[in-house]
Amino acid sequence: MLNDDQRAADFVFVPDVVGERFLKAREIAQAAGLTLANPDPDGPPISELAWRRNTTIQSQSPDPGIVLYRNDSLRVWLRSDLEPDMARKLDSPPPSVDSAHATPEDPPRIVTLTGEDPGEETAG
């Protein structure tokens, strides 16, 4: 394995991708010579986590301005804008429920299930 003294790659500065949508952050990272990566090395690729959701970058490591080698990984943590914001959820009370919404307009109909076709008449 090569140590850092033996690497032939160029140095690049880490861009700031926090707050960017995943696809835009990936473009920024690629333009800087880096690849976005899942912070969990045993987890799925970051693109697999981000492709279905409208995700934004919540945080990154290393911080912007740090020098890395070209083609190194920039670890990013994602936040899906489809998920509820927990702080806002905890600050607001739950919606009120009144009994009128829980009562059906028509009385329930009782249906007896039998093995017979409803159109058939039974001989007796």
Side-chain angles (χ1 to χ4, degrees):
M1 180 172 191
L2 296 176
N3 63 28
D4 286 343
D5 298 1
Q6 298 170 320
R7 289 181 72 176
D10 298 331
F11 290 111
V12 297
F13 288 100
V14 173
D16 185 2
V17 296
V18 174
E20 297 289 346
R21 299 275 184 214
F22 176 77
L23 294 177
K24 179 69 174 173
R26 186 174 65 181
E27 287 177 14
I28 293 169
Q30 287 174 343
L34 300 172
T35 303
L36 296 184
N38 184 347
D40 179 2
D42 297 327
I46 194 72
S47 58
E48 186 177 323
L49 296 173
W51 79 275
R52 287 189 183 182
R53 300 181 184 129
N54 189 18
T55 56
T56 55
I57 306 301
Q58 181 174 331
S59 60
Q60 71 179 60
S61 178
D63 291 330
I66 299 293
V67 175
L68 292 178
Y69 287 100
R70 182 171 302 281
N71 300 320
D72 275 352
S73 295
L74 174 58
R75 295 176 310 189
V76 293
W77 286 260
L78 304 174
R79 184 191 83 223
S80 172
D81 291 342
L82 299 177
E83 295 173 0
D85 180 4
M86 290 307 292
R88 186 175 41 211
K89 186 175 179 180
L90 294 174
D91 288 342
S92 60
S96 64
V97 177
D98 61 25
S99 61
H101 289 98
T103 307
E105 293 177 15
D106 298 327
R109 223 177 68 194
I110 298 175
V111 178
T112 304
L113 298 177
T114 64
E116 300 171 2
D117 184 11
E120 290 182 13
E121 292 185 22
T122 56

